[in-house]
Short mmCIF file of all heavy atoms in Angstrom, two decimals:
data_model
loop_
_atom_site.label_atom_id
_atom_site.label_comp_id
_atom_site.label_asym_id
_atom_site.label_seq_id
_atom_site.Cartn_x
_atom_site.Cartn_y
_atom_site.Cartn_z
N MET I 1 -5.23 -10.64 20.34
CA MET I 1 -6.56 -10.46 19.87
C MET I 1 -6.73 -11.28 18.59
O MET I 1 -5.94 -11.22 17.64
CB MET I 1 -6.81 -8.98 19.57
CG MET I 1 -8.27 -8.67 19.22
SD MET I 1 -8.58 -6.86 19.23
CE MET I 1 -8.05 -6.49 17.60
N THR I 2 -7.79 -12.04 18.49
CA THR I 2 -8.04 -12.78 17.32
C THR I 2 -8.82 -11.96 16.32
O THR I 2 -9.68 -11.14 16.68
CB THR I 2 -8.84 -14.04 17.62
OG1 THR I 2 -10.12 -13.68 18.25
CG2 THR I 2 -8.09 -14.94 18.56
N GLN I 3 -8.54 -12.25 15.09
CA GLN I 3 -9.27 -11.59 13.99
C GLN I 3 -10.22 -12.59 13.34
O GLN I 3 -9.71 -13.62 12.80
CB GLN I 3 -8.29 -11.07 12.98
CG GLN I 3 -7.44 -9.86 13.45
CD GLN I 3 -6.56 -9.34 12.39
OE1 GLN I 3 -5.83 -10.02 11.70
NE2 GLN I 3 -6.55 -8.03 12.26
N PRO I 4 -11.47 -12.36 13.40
CA PRO I 4 -12.40 -13.30 12.78
C PRO I 4 -12.17 -13.31 11.24
O PRO I 4 -11.90 -12.34 10.67
CB PRO I 4 -13.82 -12.71 13.09
CG PRO I 4 -13.56 -11.46 13.81
CD PRO I 4 -12.15 -11.22 14.00
N THR I 5 -12.27 -14.55 10.72
CA THR I 5 -12.10 -14.74 9.33
C THR I 5 -13.27 -15.40 8.70
O THR I 5 -14.00 -16.09 9.44
CB THR I 5 -10.78 -15.62 9.03
OG1 THR I 5 -11.01 -16.89 9.56
CG2 THR I 5 -9.58 -14.91 9.54
N ALA I 6 -13.42 -15.29 7.43
CA ALA I 6 -14.52 -15.88 6.74
C ALA I 6 -14.11 -15.98 5.29
O ALA I 6 -13.03 -15.52 4.86
CB ALA I 6 -15.84 -15.03 6.92
N ASN I 7 -15.00 -16.50 4.45
CA ASN I 7 -14.67 -16.60 2.99
C ASN I 7 -15.65 -15.68 2.35
O ASN I 7 -16.90 -15.61 2.60
CB ASN I 7 -14.86 -18.01 2.46
CG ASN I 7 -13.71 -18.85 2.98
OD1 ASN I 7 -12.54 -18.44 3.05
ND2 ASN I 7 -14.05 -20.09 3.32
N CYS I 8 -15.22 -14.87 1.36
CA CYS I 8 -15.99 -14.01 0.52
C CYS I 8 -17.21 -14.75 -0.09
O CYS I 8 -16.83 -15.78 -0.83
CB CYS I 8 -15.16 -13.30 -0.47
SG CYS I 8 -16.10 -12.25 -1.65
N PRO I 9 -18.40 -14.40 0.04
CA PRO I 9 -19.45 -15.11 -0.57
C PRO I 9 -19.50 -14.93 -2.10
O PRO I 9 -20.14 -15.63 -2.88
CB PRO I 9 -20.76 -14.52 0.00
CG PRO I 9 -20.39 -13.21 0.57
CD PRO I 9 -18.91 -13.30 0.85
N ASN I 10 -18.75 -13.91 -2.55
CA ASN I 10 -18.83 -13.61 -4.01
C ASN I 10 -17.63 -14.40 -4.73
O ASN I 10 -17.82 -15.03 -5.76
CB ASN I 10 -18.62 -12.13 -4.26
CG ASN I 10 -18.80 -11.71 -5.66
OD1 ASN I 10 -19.85 -12.11 -6.27
ND2 ASN I 10 -17.92 -10.96 -6.26
N CYS I 11 -16.41 -14.25 -4.23
CA CYS I 11 -15.28 -14.90 -4.93
C CYS I 11 -14.61 -15.99 -4.11
O CYS I 11 -13.72 -16.68 -4.63
CB CYS I 11 -14.26 -13.81 -5.37
SG CYS I 11 -13.33 -13.17 -4.02
N GLY I 12 -14.94 -16.15 -2.87
CA GLY I 12 -14.37 -17.24 -2.02
C GLY I 12 -13.04 -16.94 -1.40
O GLY I 12 -12.46 -17.77 -0.72
N ALA I 13 -12.55 -15.71 -1.60
CA ALA I 13 -11.28 -15.35 -1.01
C ALA I 13 -11.40 -15.20 0.54
O ALA I 13 -12.53 -15.03 1.09
CB ALA I 13 -10.83 -14.01 -1.56
N LYS I 14 -10.33 -15.41 1.22
CA LYS I 14 -10.37 -15.35 2.69
C LYS I 14 -10.54 -13.89 3.11
O LYS I 14 -9.83 -13.01 2.67
CB LYS I 14 -9.05 -15.89 3.26
CG LYS I 14 -9.15 -16.04 4.77
CD LYS I 14 -7.83 -16.71 5.21
CE LYS I 14 -7.83 -16.83 6.74
NZ LYS I 14 -6.57 -17.32 7.22
N ILE I 15 -11.47 -13.65 4.02
CA ILE I 15 -11.76 -12.32 4.47
C ILE I 15 -11.28 -12.21 5.97
O ILE I 15 -11.61 -13.12 6.74
CB ILE I 15 -13.24 -12.03 4.49
CG1 ILE I 15 -13.72 -12.16 3.10
CG2 ILE I 15 -13.52 -10.57 4.97
CD1 ILE I 15 -13.20 -11.28 1.99
N ILE I 16 -10.54 -11.23 6.28
CA ILE I 16 -10.11 -11.06 7.73
C ILE I 16 -10.76 -9.78 8.23
O ILE I 16 -10.51 -8.65 7.62
CB ILE I 16 -8.62 -11.02 7.85
CG1 ILE I 16 -7.98 -12.33 7.33
CG2 ILE I 16 -8.23 -10.67 9.25
CD1 ILE I 16 -6.51 -12.26 7.28
N PHE I 17 -11.51 -9.91 9.27
CA PHE I 17 -12.00 -8.63 9.91
C PHE I 17 -11.02 -8.08 10.87
O PHE I 17 -10.33 -8.81 11.59
CB PHE I 17 -13.27 -8.97 10.67
CG PHE I 17 -14.51 -9.16 9.82
CD1 PHE I 17 -14.76 -10.48 9.32
CD2 PHE I 17 -15.31 -8.17 9.53
CE1 PHE I 17 -15.84 -10.70 8.44
CE2 PHE I 17 -16.44 -8.34 8.72
CZ PHE I 17 -16.72 -9.69 8.21
N ARG I 18 -10.69 -6.77 10.74
CA ARG I 18 -9.66 -6.25 11.47
C ARG I 18 -9.93 -6.24 13.01
O ARG I 18 -8.98 -6.29 13.80
CB ARG I 18 -9.42 -4.70 11.08
CG ARG I 18 -8.80 -4.65 9.69
CD ARG I 18 -8.89 -3.29 9.20
NE ARG I 18 -8.31 -3.23 7.81
CZ ARG I 18 -7.03 -3.01 7.57
NH1 ARG I 18 -6.18 -2.78 8.56
NH2 ARG I 18 -6.60 -2.97 6.37
N TRP I 19 -11.15 -6.16 13.43
CA TRP I 19 -11.51 -6.26 14.80
C TRP I 19 -12.62 -7.21 14.95
O TRP I 19 -13.50 -7.43 14.04
CB TRP I 19 -11.94 -4.83 15.34
CG TRP I 19 -10.88 -3.91 15.15
CD1 TRP I 19 -9.89 -3.63 16.00
CD2 TRP I 19 -10.77 -2.88 14.12
NE1 TRP I 19 -9.02 -2.60 15.58
CE2 TRP I 19 -9.59 -2.23 14.33
CE3 TRP I 19 -11.55 -2.62 12.96
CZ2 TRP I 19 -9.22 -1.15 13.51
CZ3 TRP I 19 -11.16 -1.62 12.16
CH2 TRP I 19 -10.00 -0.83 12.38
N SER I 20 -12.68 -7.90 16.12
CA SER I 20 -13.74 -8.84 16.35
C SER I 20 -15.11 -8.24 16.34
O SER I 20 -16.16 -8.90 16.12
CB SER I 20 -13.48 -9.61 17.64
OG SER I 20 -13.46 -8.66 18.74
N SER I 21 -15.18 -6.92 16.59
CA SER I 21 -16.46 -6.26 16.61
C SER I 21 -16.83 -5.63 15.25
O SER I 21 -17.85 -5.09 15.10
CB SER I 21 -16.43 -5.14 17.68
OG SER I 21 -15.43 -4.18 17.41
N SER I 22 -15.93 -5.81 14.29
CA SER I 22 -16.23 -5.27 12.98
C SER I 22 -17.45 -6.04 12.34
O SER I 22 -17.55 -7.22 12.40
CB SER I 22 -15.04 -5.48 11.99
OG SER I 22 -13.98 -4.72 12.47
N VAL I 23 -18.32 -5.23 11.74
CA VAL I 23 -19.44 -5.89 11.07
C VAL I 23 -19.38 -5.74 9.56
O VAL I 23 -20.18 -6.31 8.82
CB VAL I 23 -20.79 -5.39 11.62
CG1 VAL I 23 -20.87 -5.82 13.06
CG2 VAL I 23 -20.94 -3.95 11.45
N GLN I 24 -18.52 -4.86 9.12
CA GLN I 24 -18.45 -4.59 7.61
C GLN I 24 -17.07 -4.56 7.19
O GLN I 24 -16.16 -4.03 7.91
CB GLN I 24 -19.19 -3.32 7.39
CG GLN I 24 -19.39 -3.09 5.83
CD GLN I 24 -18.88 -1.64 5.45
OE1 GLN I 24 -19.22 -0.61 6.02
NE2 GLN I 24 -17.95 -1.60 4.44
N THR I 25 -16.78 -5.07 6.01
CA THR I 25 -15.47 -5.01 5.47
C THR I 25 -15.55 -5.06 3.93
O THR I 25 -16.69 -5.23 3.43
CB THR I 25 -14.55 -6.12 5.98
OG1 THR I 25 -13.21 -5.85 5.61
CG2 THR I 25 -14.94 -7.47 5.41
N VAL I 26 -14.45 -4.98 3.25
CA VAL I 26 -14.41 -5.08 1.79
C VAL I 26 -13.49 -6.19 1.42
O VAL I 26 -12.39 -6.28 1.90
CB VAL I 26 -13.99 -3.65 1.20
CG1 VAL I 26 -13.85 -3.77 -0.36
CG2 VAL I 26 -14.92 -2.58 1.59
N CYS I 27 -13.97 -6.97 0.47
CA CYS I 27 -13.07 -8.08 0.01
C CYS I 27 -11.92 -7.40 -0.85
O CYS I 27 -12.20 -6.53 -1.66
CB CYS I 27 -13.87 -9.00 -0.98
SG CYS I 27 -12.81 -10.23 -1.77
N GLN I 28 -10.70 -7.88 -0.49
CA GLN I 28 -9.55 -7.18 -1.15
C GLN I 28 -9.43 -7.66 -2.55
O GLN I 28 -8.74 -7.04 -3.31
CB GLN I 28 -8.28 -7.54 -0.36
CG GLN I 28 -8.27 -6.92 0.96
CD GLN I 28 -6.92 -7.16 1.64
OE1 GLN I 28 -6.09 -8.00 1.18
NE2 GLN I 28 -6.67 -6.49 2.77
N TYR I 29 -10.11 -8.76 -2.95
CA TYR I 29 -9.89 -9.35 -4.27
C TYR I 29 -10.98 -8.93 -5.25
O TYR I 29 -10.73 -8.49 -6.35
CB TYR I 29 -9.89 -10.82 -4.21
CG TYR I 29 -8.65 -11.29 -3.36
CD1 TYR I 29 -8.91 -11.53 -1.91
CD2 TYR I 29 -7.44 -11.43 -3.95
CE1 TYR I 29 -7.82 -11.92 -1.18
CE2 TYR I 29 -6.38 -11.85 -3.11
CZ TYR I 29 -6.58 -12.07 -1.76
OH TYR I 29 -5.51 -12.40 -0.99
N CYS I 30 -12.26 -8.93 -4.89
CA CYS I 30 -13.36 -8.59 -5.78
C CYS I 30 -13.98 -7.33 -5.41
O CYS I 30 -14.95 -6.81 -6.10
CB CYS I 30 -14.31 -9.71 -5.92
SG CYS I 30 -15.38 -9.98 -4.46
N LYS I 31 -13.59 -6.64 -4.31
CA LYS I 31 -14.09 -5.38 -3.85
C LYS I 31 -15.63 -5.43 -3.46
O LYS I 31 -16.22 -4.35 -3.53
CB LYS I 31 -13.94 -4.30 -4.97
CG LYS I 31 -12.50 -4.16 -5.41
CD LYS I 31 -11.59 -3.46 -4.32
CE LYS I 31 -10.24 -3.07 -4.89
NZ LYS I 31 -9.20 -3.90 -4.36
N SER I 32 -16.04 -6.55 -3.13
CA SER I 32 -17.44 -6.65 -2.61
C SER I 32 -17.49 -5.99 -1.24
O SER I 32 -16.64 -6.19 -0.48
CB SER I 32 -17.85 -8.05 -2.56
OG SER I 32 -18.04 -8.65 -3.86
N ILE I 33 -18.54 -5.35 -0.94
CA ILE I 33 -18.78 -4.77 0.36
C ILE I 33 -19.58 -5.85 1.14
O ILE I 33 -20.63 -6.33 0.71
CB ILE I 33 -19.61 -3.47 0.22
CG1 ILE I 33 -18.84 -2.45 -0.44
CG2 ILE I 33 -19.89 -3.01 1.66
CD1 ILE I 33 -19.62 -1.20 -0.86
N LEU I 34 -19.01 -6.26 2.26
CA LEU I 34 -19.52 -7.46 2.95
C LEU I 34 -19.96 -7.04 4.34
O LEU I 34 -19.23 -6.33 5.00
CB LEU I 34 -18.46 -8.53 3.04
CG LEU I 34 -17.81 -8.94 1.72
CD1 LEU I 34 -16.66 -9.85 2.00
CD2 LEU I 34 -18.85 -9.63 0.82
N VAL I 35 -21.07 -7.49 4.73
CA VAL I 35 -21.60 -7.27 6.09
C VAL I 35 -21.73 -8.56 6.76
O VAL I 35 -22.30 -9.52 6.32
CB VAL I 35 -22.97 -6.53 5.99
CG1 VAL I 35 -23.61 -6.46 7.44
CG2 VAL I 35 -22.81 -5.10 5.50
N ARG I 36 -21.21 -8.59 7.99
CA ARG I 36 -21.22 -9.83 8.81
C ARG I 36 -22.52 -9.88 9.61
O ARG I 36 -22.80 -8.97 10.29
CB ARG I 36 -20.02 -9.89 9.71
CG ARG I 36 -20.00 -11.16 10.52
CD ARG I 36 -18.56 -11.35 11.10
NE ARG I 36 -18.24 -10.22 11.92
CZ ARG I 36 -17.87 -10.37 13.23
NH1 ARG I 36 -17.68 -11.52 13.73
NH2 ARG I 36 -17.60 -9.23 13.97
N THR I 37 -23.26 -10.97 9.47
CA THR I 37 -24.38 -11.19 10.29
C THR I 37 -23.98 -12.23 11.32
O THR I 37 -22.80 -12.63 11.41
CB THR I 37 -25.55 -11.64 9.47
OG1 THR I 37 -25.32 -12.77 8.80
CG2 THR I 37 -25.98 -10.59 8.49
N ASP I 38 -24.87 -12.74 12.09
CA ASP I 38 -24.50 -13.70 13.19
C ASP I 38 -23.79 -14.89 12.63
O ASP I 38 -22.74 -15.33 13.21
CB ASP I 38 -25.72 -14.26 13.88
CG ASP I 38 -26.27 -13.24 14.88
OD1 ASP I 38 -25.46 -12.32 15.13
OD2 ASP I 38 -27.37 -13.39 15.42
N ILE I 39 -24.18 -15.44 11.48
CA ILE I 39 -23.58 -16.71 11.06
C ILE I 39 -22.99 -16.59 9.70
O ILE I 39 -22.23 -17.53 9.29
CB ILE I 39 -24.60 -17.87 11.04
CG1 ILE I 39 -25.88 -17.45 10.25
CG2 ILE I 39 -25.00 -18.21 12.44
CD1 ILE I 39 -26.81 -18.50 10.00
N ASP I 40 -23.19 -15.60 8.91
CA ASP I 40 -22.64 -15.61 7.63
C ASP I 40 -22.33 -14.20 7.16
O ASP I 40 -22.60 -13.21 7.87
CB ASP I 40 -23.53 -16.31 6.59
CG ASP I 40 -24.82 -15.66 6.43
OD1 ASP I 40 -25.12 -14.75 7.23
OD2 ASP I 40 -25.64 -16.19 5.65
N LEU I 41 -21.83 -14.12 5.87
CA LEU I 41 -21.47 -12.82 5.29
C LEU I 41 -22.49 -12.50 4.19
O LEU I 41 -22.91 -13.49 3.49
CB LEU I 41 -20.12 -12.84 4.69
CG LEU I 41 -18.95 -12.75 5.63
CD1 LEU I 41 -17.72 -13.01 4.87
CD2 LEU I 41 -18.91 -11.35 6.23
N LYS I 42 -22.88 -11.28 4.01
CA LYS I 42 -23.73 -10.94 2.90
C LYS I 42 -23.01 -9.82 2.09
O LYS I 42 -22.36 -8.94 2.64
CB LYS I 42 -25.02 -10.33 3.49
CG LYS I 42 -25.94 -11.38 3.95
CD LYS I 42 -27.33 -10.83 4.18
CE LYS I 42 -28.32 -11.96 4.65
NZ LYS I 42 -29.09 -11.56 5.86
N LYS I 43 -23.08 -10.04 0.79
CA LYS I 43 -22.57 -9.03 -0.10
C LYS I 43 -23.65 -7.94 -0.22
O LYS I 43 -24.79 -8.19 -0.63
CB LYS I 43 -22.29 -9.66 -1.48
CG LYS I 43 -21.71 -8.56 -2.44
CD LYS I 43 -21.47 -9.20 -3.74
CE LYS I 43 -21.01 -8.11 -4.73
NZ LYS I 43 -20.87 -8.61 -6.14
N VAL I 44 -23.31 -6.69 0.04
CA VAL I 44 -24.29 -5.63 0.00
C VAL I 44 -24.00 -4.59 -1.12
O VAL I 44 -24.73 -3.67 -1.38
CB VAL I 44 -24.43 -4.90 1.31
CG1 VAL I 44 -25.04 -5.85 2.35
CG2 VAL I 44 -23.19 -4.26 1.73
N GLY I 45 -22.87 -4.75 -1.80
CA GLY I 45 -22.61 -3.91 -2.82
C GLY I 45 -21.17 -4.09 -3.26
O GLY I 45 -20.48 -5.06 -3.01
N GLN I 46 -20.69 -3.25 -4.17
CA GLN I 46 -19.39 -3.36 -4.74
C GLN I 46 -18.71 -1.96 -4.74
O GLN I 46 -19.35 -0.94 -4.97
CB GLN I 46 -19.59 -3.72 -6.24
CG GLN I 46 -18.27 -4.11 -6.88
CD GLN I 46 -18.12 -5.60 -7.19
OE1 GLN I 46 -19.12 -6.26 -7.10
NE2 GLN I 46 -17.01 -6.02 -7.58
N VAL I 47 -17.43 -1.97 -4.34
CA VAL I 47 -16.71 -0.67 -4.39
C VAL I 47 -16.30 -0.37 -5.79
O VAL I 47 -15.73 -1.20 -6.49
CB VAL I 47 -15.44 -0.78 -3.46
CG1 VAL I 47 -14.62 0.46 -3.51
CG2 VAL I 47 -15.86 -1.15 -2.00
N ALA I 48 -16.57 0.84 -6.15
CA ALA I 48 -16.21 1.22 -7.47
C ALA I 48 -14.68 1.44 -7.61
O ALA I 48 -14.02 1.64 -6.63
CB ALA I 48 -16.90 2.65 -7.81
N ASP I 49 -14.18 1.18 -8.81
CA ASP I 49 -12.82 1.38 -9.02
C ASP I 49 -12.50 2.84 -8.94
O ASP I 49 -13.18 3.67 -9.42
CB ASP I 49 -12.35 0.90 -10.45
CG ASP I 49 -12.36 -0.62 -10.46
OD1 ASP I 49 -12.07 -1.24 -9.41
OD2 ASP I 49 -12.48 -1.12 -11.58
N LEU I 50 -11.54 3.14 -8.08
CA LEU I 50 -11.16 4.57 -7.84
C LEU I 50 -10.09 4.98 -8.80
O LEU I 50 -9.20 4.24 -9.12
CB LEU I 50 -10.77 4.78 -6.43
CG LEU I 50 -11.82 4.45 -5.38
CD1 LEU I 50 -11.18 4.53 -3.97
CD2 LEU I 50 -13.00 5.42 -5.51
N PRO I 51 -10.11 6.29 -9.26
CA PRO I 51 -9.01 6.69 -9.99
C PRO I 51 -7.67 6.79 -9.15
O PRO I 51 -7.79 6.90 -7.97
CB PRO I 51 -9.41 8.13 -10.44
CG PRO I 51 -10.40 8.53 -9.46
CD PRO I 51 -11.10 7.27 -9.07
N PRO I 52 -6.57 6.52 -9.74
CA PRO I 52 -5.33 6.54 -8.97
C PRO I 52 -5.15 7.87 -8.28
O PRO I 52 -5.53 8.92 -8.78
CB PRO I 52 -4.23 6.26 -9.92
CG PRO I 52 -4.87 6.58 -11.34
CD PRO I 52 -6.35 6.32 -11.14
N ASN I 53 -4.64 7.81 -7.09
CA ASN I 53 -4.28 9.04 -6.31
C ASN I 53 -5.52 9.85 -6.05
O ASN I 53 -5.43 11.09 -6.03
CB ASN I 53 -3.23 9.87 -7.03
CG ASN I 53 -1.96 9.09 -7.20
OD1 ASN I 53 -1.59 8.28 -6.39
ND2 ASN I 53 -1.34 9.20 -8.33
N SER I 54 -6.66 9.23 -5.79
CA SER I 54 -7.84 10.03 -5.46
C SER I 54 -7.78 10.52 -4.11
O SER I 54 -8.58 11.44 -3.78
CB SER I 54 -9.03 9.16 -5.78
OG SER I 54 -9.07 8.10 -4.80
N SER I 55 -7.07 10.02 -3.23
CA SER I 55 -7.00 10.41 -1.87
C SER I 55 -5.61 10.48 -1.37
O SER I 55 -4.79 9.55 -1.71
CB SER I 55 -7.85 9.55 -1.04
OG SER I 55 -7.58 9.83 0.42
N PRO I 56 -5.25 11.44 -0.52
CA PRO I 56 -3.89 11.44 0.08
C PRO I 56 -3.76 10.48 1.20
O PRO I 56 -2.67 10.15 1.63
CB PRO I 56 -3.69 12.89 0.64
CG PRO I 56 -5.13 13.30 0.89
CD PRO I 56 -5.98 12.62 -0.21
N ILE I 57 -4.91 9.86 1.55
CA ILE I 57 -4.89 8.90 2.71
C ILE I 57 -4.96 7.54 2.09
O ILE I 57 -5.90 7.12 1.47
CB ILE I 57 -5.99 9.13 3.65
CG1 ILE I 57 -5.91 10.56 4.20
CG2 ILE I 57 -5.99 8.10 4.78
CD1 ILE I 57 -7.05 10.98 5.11
N GLN I 58 -3.91 6.64 2.37
CA GLN I 58 -3.96 5.29 1.88
C GLN I 58 -4.70 4.44 2.75
O GLN I 58 -4.70 4.63 3.99
CB GLN I 58 -2.53 4.81 1.71
CG GLN I 58 -1.72 5.48 0.64
CD GLN I 58 -0.34 4.89 0.52
OE1 GLN I 58 0.22 4.42 1.37
NE2 GLN I 58 0.10 4.80 -0.73
N ILE I 59 -5.30 3.37 2.17
CA ILE I 59 -5.99 2.39 3.04
C ILE I 59 -4.98 1.74 3.90
O ILE I 59 -3.85 1.34 3.49
CB ILE I 59 -6.75 1.33 2.16
CG1 ILE I 59 -7.94 2.07 1.53
CG2 ILE I 59 -7.17 0.11 2.95
CD1 ILE I 59 -8.62 1.18 0.47
N GLY I 60 -5.28 1.57 5.14
CA GLY I 60 -4.38 0.99 6.06
C GLY I 60 -3.59 2.01 6.92
O GLY I 60 -2.90 1.63 7.86
N THR I 61 -3.71 3.21 6.50
CA THR I 61 -3.06 4.30 7.26
C THR I 61 -3.59 4.31 8.75
O THR I 61 -4.78 4.35 8.99
CB THR I 61 -3.34 5.73 6.61
OG1 THR I 61 -2.79 5.63 5.33
CG2 THR I 61 -2.68 6.78 7.41
N GLU I 62 -2.68 4.35 9.67
CA GLU I 62 -3.12 4.47 11.06
C GLU I 62 -2.77 5.85 11.57
O GLU I 62 -1.74 6.40 11.32
CB GLU I 62 -2.35 3.43 11.92
CG GLU I 62 -2.71 2.01 11.51
CD GLU I 62 -1.95 1.01 12.40
OE1 GLU I 62 -1.83 1.20 13.56
OE2 GLU I 62 -1.49 -0.03 11.80
N SER I 63 -3.69 6.39 12.28
CA SER I 63 -3.46 7.68 12.83
C SER I 63 -4.37 7.93 14.07
O SER I 63 -5.02 7.00 14.55
CB SER I 63 -3.82 8.80 11.81
OG SER I 63 -3.44 10.07 12.26
N ILE I 64 -4.28 9.13 14.62
CA ILE I 64 -5.12 9.48 15.77
C ILE I 64 -5.85 10.84 15.49
O ILE I 64 -5.32 11.72 14.96
CB ILE I 64 -4.27 9.72 17.02
CG1 ILE I 64 -3.58 8.35 17.36
CG2 ILE I 64 -5.03 10.23 18.18
CD1 ILE I 64 -2.60 8.49 18.46
N TYR I 65 -7.17 10.77 15.72
CA TYR I 65 -7.98 11.93 15.49
C TYR I 65 -8.84 12.15 16.78
O TYR I 65 -9.47 11.22 17.18
CB TYR I 65 -8.86 11.75 14.26
CG TYR I 65 -9.68 12.96 13.97
CD1 TYR I 65 -9.25 14.15 13.37
CD2 TYR I 65 -11.12 12.93 14.26
CE1 TYR I 65 -9.98 15.21 13.17
CE2 TYR I 65 -11.93 14.03 13.99
CZ TYR I 65 -11.37 15.19 13.42
OH TYR I 65 -12.12 16.27 13.19
N ASN I 66 -8.82 13.32 17.28
CA ASN I 66 -9.53 13.62 18.54
C ASN I 66 -9.19 12.56 19.61
O ASN I 66 -10.09 11.99 20.25
CB ASN I 66 -11.05 13.69 18.28
CG ASN I 66 -11.48 15.06 17.71
OD1 ASN I 66 -10.66 15.92 17.67
ND2 ASN I 66 -12.69 15.09 17.31
N ARG I 67 -7.97 12.22 19.71
CA ARG I 67 -7.51 11.19 20.68
C ARG I 67 -8.01 9.84 20.51
O ARG I 67 -8.01 8.98 21.36
CB ARG I 67 -7.86 11.60 22.14
CG ARG I 67 -7.17 12.92 22.52
CD ARG I 67 -7.47 13.31 23.99
NE ARG I 67 -6.90 14.60 24.34
CZ ARG I 67 -7.17 15.15 25.54
NH1 ARG I 67 -7.92 14.62 26.39
NH2 ARG I 67 -6.63 16.31 25.75
N GLN I 68 -8.60 9.66 19.28
CA GLN I 68 -9.18 8.30 18.90
C GLN I 68 -8.28 7.66 17.89
O GLN I 68 -8.14 8.25 16.78
CB GLN I 68 -10.63 8.53 18.45
CG GLN I 68 -11.42 7.17 18.42
CD GLN I 68 -12.08 6.89 19.72
OE1 GLN I 68 -12.37 7.80 20.44
NE2 GLN I 68 -12.20 5.63 20.04
N ALA I 69 -7.70 6.58 18.13
CA ALA I 69 -6.88 5.93 17.13
C ALA I 69 -7.77 5.32 16.05
O ALA I 69 -8.85 4.83 16.31
CB ALA I 69 -6.05 4.86 17.77
N PHE I 70 -7.41 5.42 14.84
CA PHE I 70 -8.19 4.85 13.76
C PHE I 70 -7.25 4.21 12.69
O PHE I 70 -6.10 4.58 12.59
CB PHE I 70 -9.20 5.81 13.17
CG PHE I 70 -8.51 6.89 12.44
CD1 PHE I 70 -8.36 6.77 11.02
CD2 PHE I 70 -8.15 8.03 13.03
CE1 PHE I 70 -7.77 7.81 10.23
CE2 PHE I 70 -7.59 9.05 12.24
CZ PHE I 70 -7.32 8.95 10.88
N VAL I 71 -7.83 3.31 11.87
CA VAL I 71 -7.20 2.82 10.70
C VAL I 71 -8.07 3.11 9.53
O VAL I 71 -9.29 2.73 9.56
CB VAL I 71 -6.89 1.37 10.84
CG1 VAL I 71 -6.22 0.82 9.56
CG2 VAL I 71 -6.00 1.06 12.08
N ALA I 72 -7.58 3.66 8.49
CA ALA I 72 -8.32 3.89 7.26
C ALA I 72 -8.54 2.57 6.51
O ALA I 72 -7.58 1.90 6.15
CB ALA I 72 -7.64 4.90 6.36
N VAL I 73 -9.80 2.19 6.47
CA VAL I 73 -10.10 0.89 5.84
C VAL I 73 -10.88 0.96 4.56
O VAL I 73 -11.06 -0.06 3.90
CB VAL I 73 -10.85 -0.03 6.80
CG1 VAL I 73 -10.08 -0.39 8.06
CG2 VAL I 73 -12.20 0.66 7.23
N GLY I 74 -11.24 2.09 4.15
CA GLY I 74 -11.92 2.19 2.97
C GLY I 74 -12.42 3.61 2.58
O GLY I 74 -12.16 4.49 3.44
ZN1 ZN Q 1 -14.38 -11.45 -2.90
#
């Protein structure tokens, strides 16, 4: 499976969408919230800095809920 990539419109970092059907992701470098449209990315906001240990679930955690596999992405 290929992962679509693009460049962050805010900082220029490489963005990798986890799934080809993903339409939203967060830049790992500048924390911009990015939405993919047909041809480009739009910055729609910014993720606030979170206090350390605010959640017991780490980003990237993979699990299954109601027989549905998921990955915590934000
Ligand atoms: Zn960025």
Side-chain angles (χ1 to χ4, degrees):
M1 189 170 83
T2 59
Q3 292 183 312
T5 61
N7 290 321
C8 174
N10 191 50
C11 73
K14 189 175 180 188
I15 306 296
I16 299 173
F17 286 87
R18 288 168 182 269
W19 301 278
S20 58
S21 58
S22 296
V23 295
Q24 188 230 308
T25 192
V26 176
C27 176
Q28 294 185 350
Y29 298 94
C30 70
K31 304 288 191 252
S32 292
I33 298 169
L34 306 172
V35 171
R36 184 164 59 125
T37 60
D38 278 351
I39 53 170
D40 62 356
L41 282 172
K42 284 190 179 135
K43 179 184 177 185
V44 296
Q46 188 112 12
V47 175
D49 284 334
L50 297 173
N53 301 323
S54 62
S55 170
I57 302 173
Q58 293 185 324
I59 289 175
T61 298
E62 296 182 39
S63 188
I64 296 174
Y65 180 77
N66 280 351
R67 297 183 183 174
Q68 194 87 32
F70 69 91
V71 179
V73 295

